[in-house]
């Protein structure tokens, strides 16, 4: 999965958010690469739990901000987009539960799910809202990349 890329969706702050998701995916990929021939050690399961906590925070913050911005611009397929977000949240919660139960086979499902988030949701669905944001200069909540992404680390 290290060759995954995210498409430009036309909104700088969401592009930065998507780069953050890509970082989490790469983090999970590096960790899970150890498990090709063995099950994870307890501390590695704990590391996966930490990644899931960050992913859940990411989806909560990012989806809310994205949907609010879409609503502000009257994005016509917002209800469908919201439904997709809800489905992604539900799948993520289900996978987190499996990882919490230390189900080894869930690791492959997590990798597939994360890849699907990039290839189908961001690189297809999210790229469709860009034209609705063309009239706005993207507003970052704080100045600078590290500060703008800090909202995921609170």
């Amino acid at each position: 999965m290290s060759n995954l890329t995210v498409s430009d969706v036309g909104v700088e702050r969401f592009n930065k958010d998507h780069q953050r998701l890509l970082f989490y995916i790469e983090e999970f990929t590096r960790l899970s690469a150890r498990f090709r021939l063995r099950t994870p050690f307890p501390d590695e399961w704990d590391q996966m739990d930490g990644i899931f906590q960050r992913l859940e925070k990411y989806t909560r913050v990012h989806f809310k901000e994205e949907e609010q911005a879409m609503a502000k611009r009257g994005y016509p397929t917002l209800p469908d987009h919201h439904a997709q977000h809800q489905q992604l949240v539900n799948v993520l919660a289900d996978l987190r539960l499996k990882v919490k139960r230390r189900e080894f086979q869930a690791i492959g499902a997590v990798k597939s799910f994360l890849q699907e988030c990039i290839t189908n949701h961001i690189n297809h669905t999210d790229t469709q809202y860009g034209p609705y944001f063309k009239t706005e200069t993207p507003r970052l909540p704080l100045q600078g990349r590290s500060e703008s992404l800090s909202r995921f680390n609170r």
Side-chain angles (χ1 to χ4, degrees):
M1 275 198 293
S2 61
N3 61 351
L4 281 176
T5 58
V6 290
S7 297
D8 181 349
V9 298
V11 181
E12 186 62 27
R13 69 178 172 165
F14 297 147
N15 285 336
K16 288 180 179 183
D17 288 355
H18 296 154
Q19 287 297 322
R20 172 60 62 148
L21 176 62
L22 192 58
F23 173 80
Y24 294 149
I25 292 171
E26 289 170 353
E27 183 181 19
F28 185 84
T29 300
R30 282 191 305 274
L31 179 61
S32 66
R34 303 175 193 170
F35 314 137
R36 290 191 188 121
L37 301 175
R38 65 171 175 81
T39 59
F41 295 124
D43 67 311
E44 292 168 327
W45 282 114
D46 293 342
Q47 290 174 39
M48 278 190 266
D49 290 337
I51 293 169
F52 268 90
Q53 287 174 347
R54 291 188 295 283
L55 284 169
E56 286 180 334
K57 172 93 181 214
Y58 168 88
T59 56
R60 199 171 47 249
V61 172
H62 174 72
F63 289 171
K64 178 182 175 189
E65 291 178 357
E66 193 177 67
E67 290 173 15
Q68 286 174 341
M70 290 174 175
K72 182 177 175 183
R73 283 158 193 80
Y75 187 60
T77 61
L78 175 56
D80 293 336
H81 205 98
H82 172 75
Q84 284 187 24
H85 282 169
Q86 195 55 52
Q87 181 181 9
L88 293 171
V89 166
N90 293 342
V91 171
L92 184 63
D94 181 57
L95 290 171
R96 182 172 189 195
L97 181 61
K98 289 177 181 180
V99 167
K100 275 233 169 274
R101 290 191 303 232
R102 306 310 192 220
E103 295 179 19
F104 179 71
Q105 64 276 17
I107 295 170
V110 171
K111 289 168 67 174
S112 296
F113 168 73
L114 294 173
Q115 186 172 7
E116 175 99 0
C117 286
I118 297 290
T119 57
N120 290 340
H121 185 73
I122 294 173
N123 290 348
H124 177 69
T125 305
D126 281 358
T127 57
Q128 296 172 10
Y129 63 63
Y132 290 85
F133 288 81
K134 292 294 183 197
T135 59
E136 179 204 27
T137 302
R139 293 175 297 153
L140 294 174
L142 301 169
Q143 296 299 319
R145 178 175 161 73
S146 62
E147 292 171 332
S148 69
L149 294 176
S150 68
R151 66 192 195 280
F152 298 115
N153 298 324
R154 293 183 192 135

